[in-house]
């Protein structure tokens, strides 16, 4: 194997796309996926690649320093791509401490483990921290987040991610840890846990349930096809400059209500329902506290330096996503029923090979 890489959070939404991409594009890398399998971790997301010879799964928690130390000793990683996190804003409002423990302390533990393991021999190593545009706060009608926009997080989730970004830069400056960071806009696509806007709406439209739109529905997000995020991570991991940060975005802004209406129309078409039927399900509900009004990314640094652009437009991405959920009802039902949490026990427990 040419390189051994640690990917954290690989059983989650974005992590599973990154793991799949690295397993298939780099057969000479050994990819170790470390995931605690919280409610958001689902090994069914990786069913198609789990048997690959260059893949290992390690169940473990980034809050556990001793476990991380032993893992670095076991594998002698040459790179880390860190995605493990608590990721849902609404959950951060009801349970903020868990976000500090995993997103802040977990990241610090991982930085510490990498810096200790790579002490004095870090030239060819790389620690990649995957972060979010939410650290920059909220925009008005105009403007975009750039890499130099001051941090202004407003939810416990974004504050914990902002804090983790600061620690990554601190380890770079203080301990010479070779790092690279990216801050990405909202992702969408297959394997997205149905507590987030797009899969929740698809799930509810399918079941003809109410579609809860927060507040006035005019909150704006910049949506990126998840595989385009994975391609940007691949490029930045290999070609990004040491110590730099890159913003990643889809140049694809939608007000929530417009997006939900569009999804209703696509789903009506795909399900053969009367045009306009699903829009009847839209229900305006109580707003999220501290709800950020608008996010929009200026990704020109990544485009100009590394030549990255999104590969598909939203219309195509939206249709692919809706179709994927219709074709993968078993995945969705396992998530809804909790059955996906059995998968680890069936596949990995009592199996010393893994
Ligand atoms: P997700 O919630 O789908 O997946 C997170 C994964 O991390 C899960 O598999 C979970 O089991 C694992 N995990 C959680 N706590 C852990 C712990 N203590 N130890 C080990 N593993 C743990 O999240 P996602 O949407 O795939 O996001 C992945 C990363 O990308 C996060 O760091 C998030 O902040 C960032 N990000 C997400 C988006 C987005 O739109 N979803 C956008 C930009 C950045
Ligand atoms: P979400 O998918 O939670 O991502 P984030 O808050 O990290 O951007 O929400 C996207 C937008 O959709 C956000 O403005 C909140 C809104 N939203 C709803 O209107 N209804 C919902 O049921 C959910 C989950 C989100």
């Amino acid at each position: 194997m040419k390189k051994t890489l640690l990917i954290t959070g690989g059983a989650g939404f974005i992590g599973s796309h990154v793991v799949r991409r690295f397993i298939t594009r780099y057969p000479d890398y050994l990819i170790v996926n470390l995931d605690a399998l919280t409610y958001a971790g689902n090994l069914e997301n990786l069913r198609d690649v789990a048997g690959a010879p260059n893949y290992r799964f390690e169940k473990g928690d980034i809050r556990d320093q001793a476990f991380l130390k032993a893992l670095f000793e076991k594998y002698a990683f040459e790179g880390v791509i860190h995605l493990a996190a608590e990721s849902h804003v609404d959950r951060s409002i009801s349970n903020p401490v868990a976000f500090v423990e995993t997103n802040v302390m977990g990241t610090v533990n991982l930085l510490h483990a990498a810096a200790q393991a790579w002490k004095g021999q870090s030239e060819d190593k790389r620690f990649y921290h995957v972060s979010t545009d939410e650290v920059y706060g909220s925009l008005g009608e105009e403007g975009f987040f750039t890499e130099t926009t001051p941090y202004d997080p407003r939810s416990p989730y974004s504050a914990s991610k902002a804090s983790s970004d600061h620690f990554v830069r601190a380890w770079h400056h203080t301990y010479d840890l070779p790092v690279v960071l990216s801050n990405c806009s909202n992702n969408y696509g297959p394997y997205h846990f149905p507590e987030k806007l797009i899969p929740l709406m698809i799930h509810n439209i399918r079941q003809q349930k109410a579609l809860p739109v927060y507040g006035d529905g005019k909150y704006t997000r910049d949506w990126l096809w998840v595989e385009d995020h994975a391609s940007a991570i691949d490029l930045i991991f290999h070609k990004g400059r040491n110590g730099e940060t890159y913003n990643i975005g889809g140049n694809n802004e939608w007000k929530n209500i417009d997006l939900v209406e569009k999804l209703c129309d696509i789903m009506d078409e795909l399900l053969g329902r009367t045009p306009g039927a699903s829009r009847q399900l839209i229900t305006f509900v109580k707003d999220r506290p501290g709800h950020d009004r608008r996010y929009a990314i200026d990704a020109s640094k990544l485009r100009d330096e590394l030549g990255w652009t999104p590969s598909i437009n939203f219309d195509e991405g939206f249709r692919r996503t809706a179709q994927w959920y219709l074709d993968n009802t078993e995945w969705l039902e396992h998530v809804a029923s909790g059955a996906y949490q059995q998968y680890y026990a069936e596949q990995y427990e009592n199996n010393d090979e893994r």
Side-chain angles (χ1 to χ4, degrees):
M1 292 286 170
K2 215 165 89 187
K3 252 190 199 335
T4 302
L5 299 188
L6 171 63
I7 299 183
T8 71
F13 167 47
I14 302 169
S16 65
H17 289 275
V18 175
V19 166
R20 178 177 297 98
R21 184 179 175 95
F22 274 72
I23 288 176
T24 49
R25 279 177 70 101
Y26 303 107
D28 54 346
Y29 290 6
L30 178 66
I31 304 302
V32 180
N33 171 15
L34 158 62
D35 200 295
L37 300 183
T38 68
Y39 81 94
N42 181 353
L43 285 175
E44 291 188 18
N45 297 356
L46 290 166
R47 212 174 205 151
D48 53 331
V49 289
N54 63 335
Y55 175 67
R56 300 284 182 281
F57 176 69
E58 292 279 354
K59 187 170 189 287
D61 197 316
I62 57 169
R63 292 171 300 181
D64 182 346
Q65 252 193 61
F67 167 79
L68 290 178
K69 185 171 185 287
L71 196 71
F72 272 79
E73 279 163 9
K74 178 173 174 187
Y75 287 106
F77 297 116
E78 279 138 312
V80 175
I81 304 180
H82 174 38
L83 296 109
E86 289 290 343
S87 69
H88 189 41
V89 173
D90 293 327
R91 284 181 191 254
S92 83
I93 294 168
S94 45
N95 186 11
V97 175
F99 283 68
V100 179
E101 288 171 352
T102 284
N103 299 359
V104 184
M105 277 312 299
T107 301
V108 169
N109 287 337
L110 204 56
L111 287 163
H112 183 63
Q116 292 290 312
W118 297 344
K119 211 185 239 166
Q121 36 159 5
S122 65
E123 311 75 48
D124 54 346
K125 310 289 195 295
R126 169 147 280 189
F127 187 107
Y128 185 149
H129 180 60
V130 176
S131 193
T132 166
D133 61 353
E134 304 191 23
V135 300
Y136 299 122
S138 180
L139 291 165
E141 292 289 309
E142 302 284 314
F144 297 90
F145 298 134
T146 72
E147 290 79 2
T148 55
T149 301
Y151 275 30
D152 185 20
R154 286 140 182 261
S155 73
Y157 166 64
S158 54
S160 68
K161 291 297 292 187
S163 172
S164 66
D165 293 7
H166 292 316
F167 277 109
V168 174
R169 295 190 182 104
W171 251 252
H172 176 62
H173 292 292
T174 308
Y175 305 108
D176 279 334
L177 191 73
V179 304
V180 68
L181 298 88
S182 60
N183 295 82
C184 188
S185 62
N186 288 61
N187 287 213
Y188 71 96
Y191 304 112
H192 206 179
F193 197 82
E195 64 183 353
K196 306 276 173 75
L197 180 72
I198 291 182
L200 180 101
M201 293 298 164
I202 292 175
H203 189 48
N204 285 12
I205 292 170
R206 204 178 131 245
Q207 299 198 312
Q208 295 180 284
K209 282 191 182 156
L211 309 177
V213 174
Y214 298 166
D216 65 1
K218 294 191 177 140
Y219 294 87
T220 302
R221 299 289 183 266
D222 172 4
W223 292 96
L224 179 69
W225 173 242
V226 62
E227 290 181 10
D228 284 333
H229 190 186
S231 82
I233 289 174
D234 184 350
L235 192 62
I236 294 167
F237 179 74
H238 289 102
K239 301 268 166 59
R241 284 183 293 133
N242 184 23
E244 291 290 315
T245 296
Y246 297 87
N247 278 357
I248 310 171
N251 198 17
N252 181 28
E253 287 183 52
W254 286 79
K255 287 196 169 51
N256 292 339
I257 185 63
D258 297 338
L259 183 153
V260 172
E261 287 181 347
K262 181 155 178 82
L263 258 186
C264 287
D265 296 347
I266 291 175
M267 290 290 285
D268 283 347
E269 196 188 311
L270 294 176
L271 291 165
R273 289 186 185 155
T274 314
S278 296
R279 286 188 183 211
Q280 307 298 321
L281 301 168
I282 293 174
T283 311
F284 288 92
V285 299
K286 192 164 161 284
D287 211 347
R288 170 189 281 172
H291 198 168
D292 289 336
R293 194 64 173 166
R294 174 172 167 257
Y295 303 142
I297 279 278
D298 174 349
S300 55
K301 176 175 172 181
L302 181 57
R303 185 194 61 217
D304 296 347
E305 253 187 48
L306 302 181
W308 178 89
T309 48
S311 71
I312 59 170
N313 65 34
F314 195 54
D315 203 56
E316 191 187 341
F318 234 13
R319 276 174 192 280
R320 277 198 209 175
T321 305
Q323 190 64 56
W324 186 87
Y325 281 93
L326 293 177
D327 292 344
N328 289 275
T329 48
E330 195 192 6
W331 179 90
L332 201 52
E333 274 150 21
H334 283 184
V335 171
S337 69
Y340 69 104
Q341 287 168 324
Q342 297 302 315
Y343 186 79
Y344 172 76
E346 287 162 18
Q347 295 298 310
Y348 292 95
E349 275 175 5
N350 307 318
N351 180 353
D352 293 333
E353 289 300 298
R354 289 278 173 192

